[in-house]
Amino acid sequence: MRSIWNGAISFGLVSIPIKLVNATENHSISFRQIHLADGGRIRYRKVCELDEEEVSGGEIGKAYEDADGTMIPITDEDLAQLPLPTAKTIEIVAFVPADRIDPLQMDAAYYLSANGVPAAKPYTLLREALRRSNRVAVAKYALRGRERLGMLRVVDDVIAMHGLLWPDEIRAPQDAAPDGDITVRDAELDLADALMDTLGEVDMDSLHDDYREAVEELVAAKAAGETVLPAEPEDTGDGKVIDLIAALENSVRAARKSRNVEGAGDGEGGMADVHPIKKTSSKTSGKTARTTEAEQTTKAEQTTGTAKKTTHRTPTGKTVTRSGSSTAKKSAPKSTGAKKSTSTAKKSAGSAGSRTTAKKTTTKTATKKRTSSSSGGTTAKKTAPSRKRTSA
């Protein structure tokens, strides 16, 4: 890693030569400005207001603008002559507990690397002293033309420094809190605690920038000439909370479901009272009820399965190749027996398993109902004489 500043840590009378290295990096995707008409790059040029000519970096200096607009030139030599002890030194001024540092003051982060072999021993001494004391060092240093405040702490085997804002740079949180006296009930706090416990902890290394990945995919698709379809917007509720208790309960259940806390128990309808899937649950219940009825009907007709296969063939003498409930429905209108006679036929057919009994039962039923059949067969022939005797 390239150092951005060379100096020393002043630890009392101990001086530790160090290099300052950036501890963080920015992965944000940057865009260029272009001319929409032809796609040309838009560039900013440094132009002098007096002669309207473009100037190079070597011709540009610093100046302080006074209240009346007057420019007061300030050179690098002027700044170097200032009596600033922290110009090339990170001067430790105190050691305090880490919780004394307000996170609002946190700024950029750096790694302090020992610069050379002689710096290894005092560097290690300061590192181990910080580690054993469980404290952090508050220091002053100068960087990029201004004096800054910093905090030194141990990260693994390295001393890290966080740039801190000066206390007068932290703005007071005025008008940020909600107006009025708002009371929170214990039940709401209990649900909030339950939600916090359910969400639990997270592995910080597993967190990543979803938006940056989406932008990278968008750029890749555009470069390949592919059409990018807009993503479906998520239902965020527009920030409107109608029932806080219900919202907290839904949040707890959703968090448990996402973390597999409830496991297979979620599929038993326990979530139906708080999730917008009641219709689906009722449909499922209806299907379950219909399935149960079908199973009961199937069980009741298991003893008559043989009769169904026989009676479909024998009453009319036709050879029926279909089987099952659909065949029974189609042949039912052609059957001339009543429910009682049909049940008797099924029982006799199922118990004896012979075609003769079914034929006799069907013939008697056909005689009572006086229903003629168009198909030919042995049963039809026997029914004809019966009709003649009845009319006589």
Side-chain angles (χ1 to χ4, degrees):
M1 292 184 287
R2 186 175 62 89
S3 62
I4 61 174
W5 185 87
N6 292 343
I9 299 175
S10 175
F11 178 32
L13 297 178
V14 179
S15 181
I16 310 171
I18 55 97
K19 295 179 181 179
L20 194 67
V21 179
N22 278 321
T24 61
E25 55 187 3
N26 188 0
H27 290 168
S28 299
I29 298 176
S30 59
F31 298 99
R32 303 293 186 185
Q33 290 184 331
I34 62 172
H35 187 198
L36 293 177
D38 53 17
R41 277 280 306 274
I42 303 298
R43 298 180 182 272
Y44 292 96
R45 306 179 188 275
K46 297 180 179 180
V47 178
C48 177
E49 290 183 350
L50 298 179
D51 55 18
E52 296 184 354
E53 293 184 1
E54 185 177 353
V55 295
S56 62
E59 301 176 278
I60 300 175
K62 299 183 185 73
Y64 177 81
E65 184 177 2
D66 204 357
D68 58 358
T70 304
M71 295 295 178
I72 304 174
I74 303 294
T75 64
D76 292 337
E77 292 75 14
D78 295 333
L79 296 175
Q81 293 175 3
L82 293 175
L84 184 64
T86 58
K88 283 293 182 179
T89 305
I90 299 175
E91 182 182 358
I92 297 177
V93 297
F95 292 90
V96 298
D99 57 7
R100 287 275 304 275
I101 305 299
D102 192 339
L104 286 173
Q105 292 183 256
M106 295 288 187
D107 200 358
Y110 307 94
Y111 289 136
L112 305 181
S113 173
N115 191 3
V117 177
K121 183 61 178 286
Y123 183 94
T124 305
L125 173 63
L126 176 60
R127 182 192 68 196
E128 295 305 316
L130 287 171
R131 195 197 304 272
R132 189 171 70 172
S133 66
N134 291 324
R135 289 183 291 178
V136 297
V138 178
K140 290 183 179 181
Y141 66 101
L143 182 65
R144 298 188 179 97
R146 56 171 293 197
E147 188 174 51
R148 302 167 186 264
L149 193 63
M151 178 191 73
L152 277 62
R153 69 184 184 97
V154 178
V155 177
D156 295 334
D157 291 332
V158 179
I159 298 176
M161 182 175 70
H162 295 269
L164 299 178
L165 299 175
W166 296 98
D168 59 359
E169 292 179 321
I170 305 297
R171 301 173 60 184
Q174 296 177 350
D175 301 329
D179 296 332
D181 187 12
I182 300 176
T183 304
V184 179
R185 294 179 293 173
D186 291 340
E188 296 168 341
L189 285 174
D190 292 340
L191 284 172
D193 291 340
L195 178 58
M196 293 169 62
D197 294 338
T198 303
L199 293 176
E201 298 181 357
V202 67
D203 182 8
M204 297 299 293
D205 294 334
S206 66
L207 302 178
H208 58 278
D209 190 349
D210 294 328
Y211 180 77
R212 177 172 59 86
E213 293 180 358
V215 173
E216 290 175 349
E217 293 177 0
L218 172 64
V219 172
K222 288 268 190 177
E226 299 176 358
T227 303
V228 181
L229 299 177
E232 296 182 0
E234 297 182 358
D235 185 13
T236 58
D238 298 330
K240 298 178 181 179
V241 179
I242 305 302
D243 189 346
L244 185 58
I245 293 291
L248 287 170
E249 289 176 346
N250 292 344
S251 301
V252 171
R253 285 167 170 79
R256 287 176 179 171
K257 183 177 181 181
S258 64
R259 291 179 178 266
N260 296 324
V261 175
E262 294 181 350
D266 293 343
E268 297 179 358
M271 305 288 291
D273 56 336
V274 292
H275 280 274
I277 56 174
K278 290 183 178 179
K279 294 183 178 179
T280 307
S281 301
S282 61
K283 290 181 180 179
T284 307
S285 302
K287 291 181 179 179
T288 306
R290 290 196 295 271
T291 305
T292 306
E293 293 176 2
E295 289 177 357
Q296 293 177 354
T297 306
T298 304
K299 290 180 180 179
E301 294 179 357
Q302 280 180 353
T303 56
T304 60
T306 309
K308 286 183 180 180
K309 293 181 180 179
T310 358
T311 51
H312 294 318
R313 297 169 53 189
T314 55
T316 58
K318 285 187 177 181
T319 302
V320 182
T321 56
R322 301 183 199 177
S323 62
S325 57
S326 59
T327 308
K329 290 179 181 179
K330 291 183 179 180
S331 58
K334 295 180 181 181
S335 178
T336 56
K339 292 183 180 179
K340 184 175 181 180
S341 302
T342 305
S343 176
T344 306
K346 288 182 180 179
K347 290 182 180 179
S348 57
S351 58
S354 62
R355 300 181 182 180
T356 307
T357 308
K359 288 180 181 181
K360 290 180 179 181
T361 307
T362 310
T363 304
K364 292 179 181 181
T365 306
T367 305
K368 292 179 181 180
K369 296 294 182 175
R370 298 183 180 179
T371 304
S372 61
S373 176
S374 59
S375 58
T378 306
T379 307
K381 290 178 180 181
K382 289 182 178 181
T383 307
S386 301
R387 291 179 181 173
K388 291 180 180 180
R389 294 191 195 100
T390 304
S391 58

mmCIF file of all heavy atoms in Angstrom, residues 123-149:
data_model
loop_
_atom_site.group_PDB
_atom_site.id
_atom_site.type_symbol
_atom_site.label_atom_id
_atom_site.label_comp_id
_atom_site.label_asym_id
_atom_site.label_seq_id
_atom_site.Cartn_x
_atom_site.Cartn_y
_atom_site.Cartn_z
ATOM 1 N N TYR A 123 7.414 0.901 18.219
ATOM 2 C CA TYR A 123 6.077 0.673 17.641
ATOM 3 C C TYR A 123 5.379 -0.464 18.387
ATOM 4 O O TYR A 123 4.204 -0.345 18.778
ATOM 5 C CB TYR A 123 6.212 0.347 16.156
ATOM 6 C CG TYR A 123 4.898 0.162 15.416
ATOM 7 C CD1 TYR A 123 4.296 1.216 14.741
ATOM 8 C CD2 TYR A 123 4.254 -1.079 15.393
ATOM 9 C CE1 TYR A 123 3.097 1.039 14.061
ATOM 10 C CE2 TYR A 123 3.060 -1.269 14.723
ATOM 11 C CZ TYR A 123 2.478 -0.196 14.060
ATOM 12 O OH TYR A 123 1.293 -0.359 13.392
ATOM 13 N N THR A 124 6.093 -1.573 18.595
ATOM 14 C CA THR A 124 5.521 -2.714 19.301
ATOM 15 C C THR A 124 5.199 -2.355 20.745
ATOM 16 O O THR A 124 4.186 -2.809 21.301
ATOM 17 C CB THR A 124 6.478 -3.906 19.235
ATOM 18 O OG1 THR A 124 6.800 -4.185 17.861
ATOM 19 C CG2 THR A 124 5.864 -5.138 19.873
ATOM 20 N N LEU A 125 6.051 -1.545 21.373
ATOM 21 C CA LEU A 125 5.815 -1.126 22.752
ATOM 22 C C LEU A 125 4.506 -0.353 22.874
ATOM 23 O O LEU A 125 3.680 -0.632 23.754
ATOM 24 C CB LEU A 125 6.983 -0.271 23.233
ATOM 25 C CG LEU A 125 6.819 0.389 24.608
ATOM 26 C CD1 LEU A 125 6.687 -0.658 25.698
ATOM 27 C CD2 LEU A 125 7.962 1.355 24.885
ATOM 28 N N LEU A 126 4.280 0.615 21.988
ATOM 29 C CA LEU A 126 3.045 1.396 22.032
ATOM 30 C C LEU A 126 1.839 0.516 21.743
ATOM 31 O O LEU A 126 0.792 0.634 22.396
ATOM 32 C CB LEU A 126 3.124 2.556 21.032
ATOM 33 C CG LEU A 126 1.866 3.412 20.886
ATOM 34 C CD1 LEU A 126 1.486 4.056 22.204
ATOM 35 C CD2 LEU A 126 2.067 4.479 19.795
ATOM 36 N N ARG A 127 1.975 -0.385 20.802
ATOM 37 C CA ARG A 127 0.858 -1.266 20.451
ATOM 38 C C ARG A 127 0.449 -2.137 21.622
ATOM 39 O O ARG A 127 -0.750 -2.253 21.949
ATOM 40 C CB ARG A 127 1.259 -2.133 19.255
ATOM 41 C CG ARG A 127 0.164 -3.062 18.749
ATOM 42 C CD ARG A 127 0.728 -4.063 17.770
ATOM 43 N NE ARG A 127 1.634 -4.998 18.445
ATOM 44 C CZ ARG A 127 2.497 -5.783 17.808
ATOM 45 N NH1 ARG A 127 2.593 -5.720 16.478
ATOM 46 N NH2 ARG A 127 3.270 -6.605 18.483
ATOM 47 N N GLU A 128 1.413 -2.760 22.287
ATOM 48 C CA GLU A 128 1.085 -3.639 23.404
ATOM 49 C C GLU A 128 0.584 -2.855 24.613
ATOM 50 O O GLU A 128 -0.247 -3.347 25.376
ATOM 51 C CB GLU A 128 2.309 -4.477 23.771
ATOM 52 C CG GLU A 128 2.728 -5.449 22.678
ATOM 53 C CD GLU A 128 1.595 -6.359 22.242
ATOM 54 O OE1 GLU A 128 0.872 -6.882 23.116
ATOM 55 O OE2 GLU A 128 1.418 -6.536 21.011
ATOM 56 N N ALA A 129 1.083 -1.634 24.797
ATOM 57 C CA ALA A 129 0.591 -0.803 25.906
ATOM 58 C C ALA A 129 -0.872 -0.444 25.684
ATOM 59 O O ALA A 129 -1.685 -0.463 26.619
ATOM 60 C CB ALA A 129 1.447 0.449 26.034
ATOM 61 N N LEU A 130 -1.237 -0.107 24.449
ATOM 62 C CA LEU A 130 -2.638 0.192 24.136
ATOM 63 C C LEU A 130 -3.509 -1.046 24.318
ATOM 64 O O LEU A 130 -4.618 -0.961 24.854
ATOM 65 C CB LEU A 130 -2.758 0.708 22.697
ATOM 66 C CG LEU A 130 -2.248 2.118 22.417
ATOM 67 C CD1 LEU A 130 -2.235 2.390 20.914
ATOM 68 C CD2 LEU A 130 -3.095 3.166 23.130
ATOM 69 N N ARG A 131 -3.001 -2.193 23.893
ATOM 70 C CA ARG A 131 -3.788 -3.419 23.982
ATOM 71 C C ARG A 131 -4.042 -3.801 25.443
ATOM 72 O O ARG A 131 -5.149 -4.181 25.815
ATOM 73 C CB ARG A 131 -3.059 -4.546 23.248
ATOM 74 C CG ARG A 131 -3.935 -5.777 22.966
ATOM 75 C CD ARG A 131 -3.077 -6.982 22.634
ATOM 76 N NE ARG A 131 -2.190 -6.739 21.525
ATOM 77 C CZ ARG A 131 -2.506 -6.927 20.235
ATOM 78 N NH1 ARG A 131 -3.716 -7.346 19.917
ATOM 79 N NH2 ARG A 131 -1.611 -6.702 19.297
ATOM 80 N N ARG A 132 -3.016 -3.698 26.281
ATOM 81 C CA ARG A 132 -3.160 -4.116 27.663
ATOM 82 C C ARG A 132 -4.004 -3.150 28.484
ATOM 83 O O ARG A 132 -4.725 -3.553 29.398
ATOM 84 C CB ARG A 132 -1.779 -4.276 28.307
ATOM 85 C CG ARG A 132 -1.840 -4.913 29.676
ATOM 86 C CD ARG A 132 -0.451 -5.251 30.185
ATOM 87 N NE ARG A 132 0.317 -4.053 30.516
ATOM 88 C CZ ARG A 132 1.511 -4.078 31.121
ATOM 89 N NH1 ARG A 132 2.059 -5.243 31.433
ATOM 90 N NH2 ARG A 132 2.146 -2.955 31.378
ATOM 91 N N SER A 133 -3.972 -1.882 28.145
ATOM 92 C CA SER A 133 -4.713 -0.886 28.925
ATOM 93 C C SER A 133 -6.180 -0.792 28.528
ATOM 94 O O SER A 133 -6.969 -0.162 29.237
ATOM 95 C CB SER A 133 -4.068 0.488 28.759
ATOM 96 O OG SER A 133 -4.198 0.941 27.418
ATOM 97 N N ASN A 134 -6.554 -1.387 27.375
ATOM 98 C CA ASN A 134 -7.928 -1.283 26.866
ATOM 99 C C ASN A 134 -8.352 0.174 26.693
ATOM 100 O O ASN A 134 -9.506 0.530 26.913
ATOM 101 C CB ASN A 134 -8.918 -1.998 27.783
ATOM 102 C CG ASN A 134 -8.742 -3.503 27.752
ATOM 103 O OD1 ASN A 134 -8.435 -4.074 26.702
ATOM 104 N ND2 ASN A 134 -8.905 -4.144 28.892
ATOM 105 N N ARG A 135 -7.393 0.993 26.326
ATOM 106 C CA ARG A 135 -7.673 2.399 26.090
ATOM 107 C C ARG A 135 -7.212 2.787 24.691
ATOM 108 O O ARG A 135 -6.528 2.023 24.005
ATOM 109 C CB ARG A 135 -6.986 3.275 27.140
ATOM 110 C CG ARG A 135 -7.609 3.176 28.516
ATOM 111 C CD ARG A 135 -6.951 4.112 29.503
ATOM 112 N NE ARG A 135 -5.582 3.705 29.824
ATOM 113 C CZ ARG A 135 -4.780 4.382 30.642
ATOM 114 N NH1 ARG A 135 -5.217 5.507 31.216
ATOM 115 N NH2 ARG A 135 -3.556 3.957 30.903
ATOM 116 N N VAL A 136 -7.608 3.977 24.278
ATOM 117 C CA VAL A 136 -7.193 4.519 22.986
ATOM 118 C C VAL A 136 -6.419 5.806 23.245
ATOM 119 O O VAL A 136 -6.569 6.448 24.298
ATOM 120 C CB VAL A 136 -8.404 4.786 22.067
ATOM 121 C CG1 VAL A 136 -9.138 3.497 21.752
ATOM 122 C CG2 VAL A 136 -9.354 5.807 22.693
ATOM 123 N N ALA A 137 -5.591 6.173 22.270
ATOM 124 C CA ALA A 137 -4.787 7.390 22.398
ATOM 125 C C ALA A 137 -5.425 8.505 21.583
ATOM 126 O O ALA A 137 -5.835 8.290 20.437
ATOM 127 C CB ALA A 137 -3.357 7.142 21.919
ATOM 128 N N VAL A 138 -5.544 9.676 22.180
ATOM 129 C CA VAL A 138 -6.029 10.861 21.484
ATOM 130 C C VAL A 138 -4.809 11.671 21.059
ATOM 131 O O VAL A 138 -3.922 11.944 21.878
ATOM 132 C CB VAL A 138 -6.952 11.703 22.388
ATOM 133 C CG1 VAL A 138 -7.410 12.964 21.662
ATOM 134 C CG2 VAL A 138 -8.156 10.876 22.826
ATOM 135 N N ALA A 139 -4.761 12.022 19.778
ATOM 136 C CA ALA A 139 -3.567 12.672 19.246
ATOM 137 C C ALA A 139 -3.949 13.812 18.309
ATOM 138 O O ALA A 139 -5.095 13.896 17.830
ATOM 139 C CB ALA A 139 -2.692 11.654 18.509
ATOM 140 N N LYS A 140 -2.960 14.669 18.054
ATOM 141 C CA LYS A 140 -3.083 15.739 17.063
ATOM 142 C C LYS A 140 -2.094 15.482 15.938
ATOM 143 O O LYS A 140 -0.981 14.997 16.170
ATOM 144 C CB LYS A 140 -2.791 17.099 17.697
ATOM 145 C CG LYS A 140 -3.833 17.608 18.667
ATOM 146 C CD LYS A 140 -3.444 18.994 19.160
ATOM 147 C CE LYS A 140 -4.478 19.567 20.118
ATOM 148 N NZ LYS A 140 -4.093 20.932 20.563
ATOM 149 N N TYR A 141 -2.499 15.821 14.706
ATOM 150 C CA TYR A 141 -1.603 15.686 13.560
ATOM 151 C C TYR A 141 -2.046 16.676 12.498
ATOM 152 O O TYR A 141 -3.187 17.178 12.512
ATOM 153 C CB TYR A 141 -1.595 14.256 13.020
ATOM 154 C CG TYR A 141 -2.911 13.814 12.409
ATOM 155 C CD1 TYR A 141 -3.101 13.803 11.031
ATOM 156 C CD2 TYR A 141 -3.983 13.414 13.212
ATOM 157 C CE1 TYR A 141 -4.305 13.404 10.474
ATOM 158 C CE2 TYR A 141 -5.183 13.017 12.666
ATOM 159 C CZ TYR A 141 -5.344 13.010 11.294
ATOM 160 O OH TYR A 141 -6.534 12.626 10.749
ATOM 161 N N ALA A 142 -1.160 16.967 11.581
ATOM 162 C CA ALA A 142 -1.453 17.901 10.496
ATOM 163 C C ALA A 142 -1.447 17.131 9.174
ATOM 164 O O ALA A 142 -0.514 16.365 8.898
ATOM 165 C CB ALA A 142 -0.435 19.025 10.454
ATOM 166 N N LEU A 143 -2.485 17.344 8.373
ATOM 167 C CA LEU A 143 -2.591 16.655 7.090
ATOM 168 C C LEU A 143 -3.413 17.514 6.140
ATOM 169 O O LEU A 143 -4.460 18.034 6.523
ATOM 170 C CB LEU A 143 -3.252 15.279 7.275
ATOM 171 C CG LEU A 143 -3.404 14.403 6.030
ATOM 172 C CD1 LEU A 143 -2.033 14.012 5.492
ATOM 173 C CD2 LEU A 143 -4.225 13.159 6.349
ATOM 174 N N ARG A 144 -2.884 17.650 4.924
ATOM 175 C CA ARG A 144 -3.547 18.408 3.864
ATOM 176 C C ARG A 144 -3.874 19.837 4.295
ATOM 177 O O ARG A 144 -4.984 20.329 4.124
ATOM 178 C CB ARG A 144 -4.808 17.682 3.389
ATOM 179 C CG ARG A 144 -4.533 16.307 2.785
ATOM 180 C CD ARG A 144 -5.787 15.724 2.152
ATOM 181 N NE ARG A 144 -5.512 14.428 1.558
ATOM 182 C CZ ARG A 144 -5.735 13.254 2.148
ATOM 183 N NH1 ARG A 144 -6.251 13.233 3.367
ATOM 184 N NH2 ARG A 144 -5.455 12.137 1.541
ATOM 185 N N GLY A 145 -2.897 20.483 4.874
ATOM 186 C CA GLY A 145 -3.012 21.904 5.153
ATOM 187 C C GLY A 145 -3.787 22.282 6.388
ATOM 188 O O GLY A 145 -4.098 23.461 6.572
ATOM 189 N N ARG A 146 -4.099 21.327 7.247
ATOM 190 C CA ARG A 146 -4.814 21.685 8.470
ATOM 191 C C ARG A 146 -4.478 20.713 9.585
ATOM 192 O O ARG A 146 -4.118 19.550 9.328
ATOM 193 C CB ARG A 146 -6.331 21.711 8.236
ATOM 194 C CG ARG A 146 -6.894 20.433 7.690
ATOM 195 C CD ARG A 146 -8.393 20.425 7.680
ATOM 196 N NE ARG A 146 -8.936 20.420 9.037
ATOM 197 C CZ ARG A 146 -10.178 20.092 9.326
ATOM 198 N NH1 ARG A 146 -11.027 19.734 8.351
ATOM 199 N NH2 ARG A 146 -10.618 20.119 10.559
ATOM 200 N N GLU A 147 -4.589 21.201 10.823
ATOM 201 C CA GLU A 147 -4.360 20.328 11.972
ATOM 202 C C GLU A 147 -5.648 19.578 12.284
ATOM 203 O O GLU A 147 -6.750 20.129 12.226
ATOM 204 C CB GLU A 147 -3.927 21.155 13.192
ATOM 205 C CG GLU A 147 -3.489 20.282 14.351
ATOM 206 C CD GLU A 147 -2.927 21.088 15.518
ATOM 207 O OE1 GLU A 147 -3.616 22.041 15.942
ATOM 208 O OE2 GLU A 147 -1.830 20.774 15.982
ATOM 209 N N ARG A 148 -5.465 18.309 12.627
ATOM 210 C CA ARG A 148 -6.611 17.437 12.846
ATOM 211 C C ARG A 148 -6.484 16.725 14.172
ATOM 212 O O ARG A 148 -5.411 16.696 14.796
ATOM 213 C CB ARG A 148 -6.721 16.412 11.694
ATOM 214 C CG ARG A 148 -6.844 17.055 10.323
ATOM 215 C CD ARG A 148 -6.641 16.038 9.220
ATOM 216 N NE ARG A 148 -6.617 16.678 7.906
ATOM 217 C CZ ARG A 148 -7.663 16.776 7.099
ATOM 218 N NH1 ARG A 148 -8.837 16.291 7.471
ATOM 219 N NH2 ARG A 148 -7.552 17.364 5.932
ATOM 220 N N LEU A 149 -7.600 16.109 14.566
ATOM 221 C CA LEU A 149 -7.658 15.323 15.779
ATOM 222 C C LEU A 149 -7.769 13.858 15.384
ATOM 223 O O LEU A 149 -8.476 13.510 14.424
ATOM 224 C CB LEU A 149 -8.855 15.738 16.627
ATOM 225 C CG LEU A 149 -8.932 15.247 18.069
ATOM 226 C CD1 LEU A 149 -7.751 15.789 18.878
ATOM 227 C CD2 LEU A 149 -10.251 15.667 18.695
#
